[in-house]
Amino acid sequence: MTREEKSRVIEDLTAQLADSNTIYLADISGLNALNTSNLRRACFKANVKLAVVKNTLLAKAMESSDKDFGELTSVLKGNTSIMISETGNAPAKVIKEFRKKSDKPLLKGAFIEEAIFVGDDKLETLVNIKSKEEVIGDIIGLLQSPAKNVVSALKSGGGKIAGILKTLSEKEG
């Protein structure tokens, strides 16, 4: 690889890092061609971009990025693949599901919305991270809950004030 090609790869990686708030680093070494193909297919279905990267080039891209990757650069040893997604837990779910049939990929680390996770033992934590859409759904559900209580109180009381007050007092008790 020429110096110009390396510079181009570093620029591309730096741009990808700048555009992404969800970046996972994994080890997929040892997967045969069929399993690698199946992993790529699983990533594609989950809208996760998967690419094998050269550690030295990724390290330089991380250094030239505006983001602070902290101790994540310490995992850049051996085989490294980068997984990029718009959903914080999507790559973790792909890894967890894939590992039901294989011992790889191993999670090396992740950068999610400025939080850094290092080590395969963080996989379950990352699977349980809620996406922005899930959090918004939970908030909307919580906000709708009081309105549903009032509506059910109106229906159960037959629409009469005494029935409504009785139902609301039962809910408070």
Side-chain angles (χ1 to χ4, degrees):
M1 186 179 270
T2 67
R3 184 176 287 156
E4 288 175 4
E5 289 170 329
K6 286 180 182 178
S7 293
R8 208 170 311 118
V9 169
I10 292 169
E11 286 174 25
D12 290 346
L13 281 171
T14 304
Q16 287 178 35
L17 296 176
D19 293 342
S20 307
N21 284 324
T22 302
I23 301 158
Y24 281 62
L25 302 178
D27 177 0
I28 65 170
S29 65
L31 290 180
N32 63 27
L34 177 63
N35 286 340
T36 301
S37 179
N38 289 340
L39 177 61
R40 288 187 182 282
R41 194 172 297 113
C43 286
F44 181 77
K45 284 181 184 174
N47 203 21
V48 175
K49 183 179 176 191
L50 173 69
V52 176
V53 293
K54 199 166 175 69
N55 290 328
T56 54
L57 301 181
L58 180 57
K60 287 181 181 179
M62 288 174 149
E63 286 172 19
S64 54
S65 167
D66 292 341
K67 296 179 179 166
D68 179 12
F69 290 100
E71 63 181 312
L72 204 55
T73 55
S74 69
V75 303
L76 296 177
K77 297 176 182 87
N79 181 296
T80 303
S81 294
I82 188 168
M83 301 173 86
I84 296 176
S85 174
E86 290 182 18
T87 307
N89 62 3
K93 287 181 176 180
V94 169
I95 292 171
K96 183 177 179 180
E97 185 62 30
F98 201 80
R99 290 219 324 229
K100 289 179 180 177
K101 299 174 190 161
S102 174
D103 61 340
K104 296 274 176 124
L106 291 176
L107 175 67
K108 294 173 102 176
F111 174 91
I112 301 170
E113 302 281 342
E114 298 181 17
I116 295 170
F117 302 85
V118 174
D120 194 60
D121 60 327
K122 302 291 190 285
L123 183 62
E124 200 59 41
T125 302
L126 293 168
V127 166
N128 293 322
I129 287 180
K130 290 191 175 198
S131 69
K132 203 178 292 182
E133 291 76 18
E134 290 170 323
V135 171
I136 290 170
D138 287 351
I139 292 170
I140 289 171
L142 290 170
L143 293 173
Q144 287 177 339
S145 183
K148 287 179 183 174
N149 289 342
V150 171
V151 170
S152 71
L154 288 170
K155 288 180 181 174
S156 68
K160 296 182 183 164
I161 297 288
I164 295 168
L165 292 174
K166 180 180 177 213
T167 305
L168 289 175
S169 67
E170 288 171 0
K171 288 195 185 272
E172 287 177 7

